């Protein structure tokens, strides 16, 4: 599929009313909703434009009727429609120093008017939060200030590398999310696990439950009270003490591949949350300071979906990062074999 030129996006139409207040108080604005905002909840829309304003205050001005759509009161669940006129009241925002988002360059695997697909490196969060000041989405928005819409279609763990899809139009985001809910998007990962995986193809169906540790860290465990989760594992190659697997996600739960493998007795090499501490220490040290693995060996290598605009199937692949491919070469010195 050949990327095309960027489409023109209609600009917000704003009418400002001067309130004579200080510089911290933004004036009343009348904003026309664009196609890229169609379907978005009003509260999420306001969170984006009222940066630095507590969410409790945003909900308060919604309840009070200060925010109106087409001159009518609405609640926080209202979904915007293209052409709606939003009355945005004056809101005092705290002055704070803007944190500079460092420049970043991501390997672009595919791009057109509707979607952007990058090859995310390991060690980079996809978005800010939970102690992370910024992530891929904030960096991309900073690099593309002209972009009127840019949102994550799905997520990857910070420690996982590989394919990450972003939408450049709300219509594209909505259609891709529909495919995710239907389970029609085919996502494949490569994982190196410790041990000799026996079955060439194996289904793992274990319910997963999210919880928080005593220090507030988010974790996942196998629990009958959790959500139904399904992963299919295919053996790609056996190595001495390790097996290279392909993982097919049938559901998309948090940490699904990592927990399904660990609970099956095969931890991912370099996994600091669910892996083997002593094994990871040895991998990071390597032999004689060489052939070390200093990251988790989990990589999103392939995705297939229906293009949200053309309706045609799209398949995108991402090669193994150098650090993972290089470590496999060190294992090939043993008696490895393809399966």
């Amino acid at each position: 599929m050949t990327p095309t030129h960027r489409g023109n996006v209609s600009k917000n139409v704003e009418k400002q009313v001067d309130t004579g207040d200080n510089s911290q108080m933004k004036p009343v604005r009348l904003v026309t909703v664009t196609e890229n905002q169609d379907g978005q909840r009003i509260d999420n829309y306001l969170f984006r434009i009222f940066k630095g304003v507590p969410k409790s205050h945003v909900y308060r001005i919604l309840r009070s009727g200060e925010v109106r759509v087409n001159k009518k009161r609405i609640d926080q669940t209202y979904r915007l429609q293209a052409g709606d006129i939003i009355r945005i009241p004056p809101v005092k925002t705290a002055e704070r120093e803007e944190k500079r988002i460092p420049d970043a360059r991501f390997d672009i695997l595919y791009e057109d008017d509707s979607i952007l697909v990058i090859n995310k490196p390991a060690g980079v969060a996809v978005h800010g939060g939970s102690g992370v000041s910024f992530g891929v989405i904030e960096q991309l928005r900073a690099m593309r200030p002209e972009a009127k819409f840019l949102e994550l279609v799905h997520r990857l763990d910070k420690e996982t590398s590989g394919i990450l899809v972003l939408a450049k139009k709300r219509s594209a985001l909505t259609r891709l999310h529909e495919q995710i809910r239907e389970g029609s998007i085919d996502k494949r990962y490569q994982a190196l696990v410790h041990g000799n995986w026996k079955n060439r193809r194996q289904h793992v169906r274990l319910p997963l439950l999210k919880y928080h540790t005593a220090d507030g860290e988010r974790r996942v465990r196998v629990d009958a009270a959790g959500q139904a989760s399904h992963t299919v594992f295919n053996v790609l190659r056996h190595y001495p003490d390790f097996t290279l697997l392909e993982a097919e996600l049938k559901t998309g739960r948090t940490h699904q591949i990592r927990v399904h493998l660990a609970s099956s007795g095969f931890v991912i090499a370099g996994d600091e949350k669910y892996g083997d501490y002593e094994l990871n220490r040895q991998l990071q040290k390597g032999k004689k300071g060489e052939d070390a693995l200093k990251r988790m060996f989990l990589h999103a290598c392939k995705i297939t979906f229906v293009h949200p605009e053309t309706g045609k199937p799209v398949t995108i692949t991402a090669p193994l990062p150098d650090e993972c491919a290089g470590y496999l070469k060190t294992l090939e010195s043993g008696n490895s074999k393809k399966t």
Side-chain angles (χ1 to χ4, degrees), residues 101-106 124 134-136 139-140 143:
I101 298 176
D103 295 335
R105 293 291 180 268
F106 299 107
V124 179
F134 57 85
V136 171
Q139 289 177 300
L140 285 171
M143 290 167 56

Side-chain angles (χ1 to χ4, degrees), residues 125-128 135-142 150-152 164 166:
V126 295
H127 58 76
V136 171
I137 186 63
E138 289 84 9
Q139 289 177 300
L140 285 171
R141 286 171 180 162
L150 193 60
E151 294 287 350
L152 294 163
L164 183 66
L166 300 99

Side-chain angles (χ1 to χ4, degrees), residues 116-118 120 126-127 137 151-157 162-167 173 176-177 180 185 187 189 249 252 300 302-303 305:
L116 169 66
V117 185
I118 68 166
K120 186 188 85 68
V126 295
H127 58 76
I137 186 63
E151 294 287 350
L152 294 163
V153 172
H154 62 106
R155 287 165 171 74
L156 290 178
D157 293 345
I163 297 170
L164 183 66
V165 183
L166 300 99
L173 181 67
L176 288 169
H177 278 174
I180 291 175
I185 293 183
K187 290 195 284 187
Y189 294 70
L249 280 182
K302 185 178 179 181
I303 189 169
F305 56 89

Side-chain angles (χ1 to χ4, degrees), residues 227-274:
Q227 293 180 302
S229 306
H230 181 192
T231 314
V232 182
F233 294 102
N234 304 294
V235 173
L236 297 178
R237 189 161 188 162
H238 285 107
Y239 297 90
D241 302 322
F242 291 94
T243 307
L244 182 64
L245 297 174
E246 177 191 68
E248 300 177 33
L249 280 182
K250 299 300 184 182
T251 55
R253 312 303 182 199
T254 300
H255 300 169
Q256 177 174 317
I257 295 173
R258 300 164 70 175
V259 178
H260 273 180
L261 286 170
S263 298
S264 300
F266 293 83
V267 297
I268 297 178
D271 188 346
E272 295 184 354
K273 284 190 175 179
Y274 305 101

Side-chain angles (χ1 to χ4, degrees), residues 67-118:
V67 175
R68 298 199 173 219
V69 177
N70 303 327
K71 299 183 179 181
K72 298 178 181 178
R73 296 174 69 114
I74 40 83
D75 65 19
Q76 66 196 49
T77 64
Y78 178 80
R79 291 192 178 274
L80 299 172
Q81 300 179 42
D84 279 349
I85 307 295
I86 310 173
R87 179 193 186 273
I88 300 176
V91 173
K92 189 173 290 186
T93 58
E95 289 189 3
R96 59 180 182 176
E97 184 180 351
E98 289 292 328
K99 293 183 179 179
R100 182 183 178 276
I101 298 176
D103 295 335
R105 293 291 180 268
F106 299 107
D107 181 17
I108 296 176
L109 301 173
Y110 176 83
E111 182 173 14
D112 61 20
D113 286 348
S114 301
I115 57 176
L116 169 66
V117 185
I118 68 166

Side-chain angles (χ1 to χ4, degrees), residues 16-28 66 89-93 95:
Q16 297 191 347
V17 180
D18 188 2
T19 62
D21 222 328
N22 60 40
S23 60
Q24 289 179 285
M25 182 76 79
K26 293 187 176 182
V28 169
E66 293 178 68
V91 173
K92 189 173 290 186
T93 58
E95 289 189 3

